[in-house]
Amino acid sequence: MDGLTVQLPHVRSGQLQALAVTGARRTASVPDIPTIAEAGLPGYEFNGWTGLAAPAGTPKEVVERLNAEIAKIAATPEARGWFDAGGAEAGIQSPEAFGEFIQAEHTKWGKVIRAAGIRIDG
């Protein structure tokens, strides 16, 4: 199991066969690959993500300007093509929504870590 952006070139070349994607819905760039839920494991969902953050105290107008410029770039055909080629999607959202998303991820995966008894060694 690895990220689609890493494995997709191998799937497209025929070296690997994709069994499922880990998100709750199929991926637009490879709509023929089922979700894990569709493949027989209902309730499973994991989406890898990357985000851009600024230091605490960055003026709100600077954060909003960066967000607007990044959204413009992500909407270009070149950027969309780049994301599609890697099996990724640009999920641009407001800084506030992204903060809420990060907090929800922290809560969600914190529960998983505690329930599994995961500890840091070292």
Side-chain angles (χ1 to χ4, degrees):
M1 182 179 277
D2 202 347
L4 189 58
T5 56
V6 173
Q7 298 302 332
L8 191 55
H10 304 291
V11 171
R12 288 186 171 150
S13 74
Q15 293 175 307
L16 293 177
Q17 178 182 352
L19 302 177
V21 295
T22 60
R25 61 182 173 77
R26 291 185 182 213
T27 301
S29 61
V30 284
D32 55 317
I33 300 174
T35 66
I36 284 186
E38 292 171 326
L41 189 58
Y44 183 95
E45 178 184 354
F46 171 77
N47 291 299
W49 57 271
T50 301
L52 185 64
T58 300
K60 183 176 174 98
E61 59 275 5
V62 172
V63 171
E64 290 173 351
R65 169 85 189 273
L66 285 169
N67 183 259
E69 295 299 324
I70 291 166
K72 284 182 200 174
I73 292 166
T76 65
E78 296 85 3
R80 292 178 61 138
W82 184 82
F83 281 110
D84 287 346
E89 299 175 23
I92 304 299
Q93 54 188 306
S94 72
E96 295 78 18
F98 185 50
E100 291 170 8
F101 170 78
I102 291 170
Q103 185 58 50
E105 287 285 281
H106 184 269
T107 300
K108 173 179 155 181
W109 294 109
K111 288 178 185 177
V112 170
I113 289 166
R114 286 186 295 281
I118 297 171
R119 303 267 184 253
I120 296 174
D121 291 336

